[in-house]
Amino acid sequence: VRSLYRQLLRLAEHVEPAARRKHVELSIRTEFRLPLRDDAGGVGARVEKAQSSLSALRMLVPKSAQPKGLQAQGTRFVLRDGKVQHGSASRSTFGTTRDNRITEDQMDHHHRLLRRQHFLEKPPVKH
């Protein structure tokens, strides 16, 4: 919850004009300082509201002004063990990795092609 509060305030710093910025910052602070009520869903409802406010602020603030950590964030869904979960997939879950090193045979073939097009030698002289 605290990180969500920080993200909202960091984005609010870049809202233009200054009068609107102060209003946005004040509304964020007052919303987070309100006491929790047990009947309205408590913390879960507040977190959802804060996340929707964060999404709305991201639309107002240009990407160039957004802090680097906030630009690439988004909701991701990953299929693990037959269940859809929130989070990100590790590289190992994407399947096989490929060895991208160039072998000796590939390098020989590359040089043959270069010679065939006369890139490794002086061009033939025409009489």
Side-chain angles (χ1 to χ4, degrees), residues 80-95:
R80 283 195 191 116
D81 302 324
K83 297 178 183 176
V84 177
Q85 300 175 348
H86 287 282
S88 62
S90 63
R91 266 305 201 191
S92 62
T93 61
F94 283 134

Side-chain angles (χ1 to χ4, degrees), residues 75-111:
T75 305
R76 294 185 181 195
F77 297 97
V78 180
L79 186 64
R80 283 195 191 116
D81 302 324
K83 297 178 183 176
V84 177
Q85 300 175 348
H86 287 282
S88 62
S90 63
R91 266 305 201 191
S92 62
T93 61
F94 283 134
T96 60
T97 57
R98 191 174 149 204
D99 187 11
N100 291 328
R101 292 179 284 189
I102 298 173
T103 64
E104 191 70 31
D105 293 337
Q106 290 170 333
M107 192 56 99
D108 288 340
H109 179 69
H110 174 69
H111 282 287

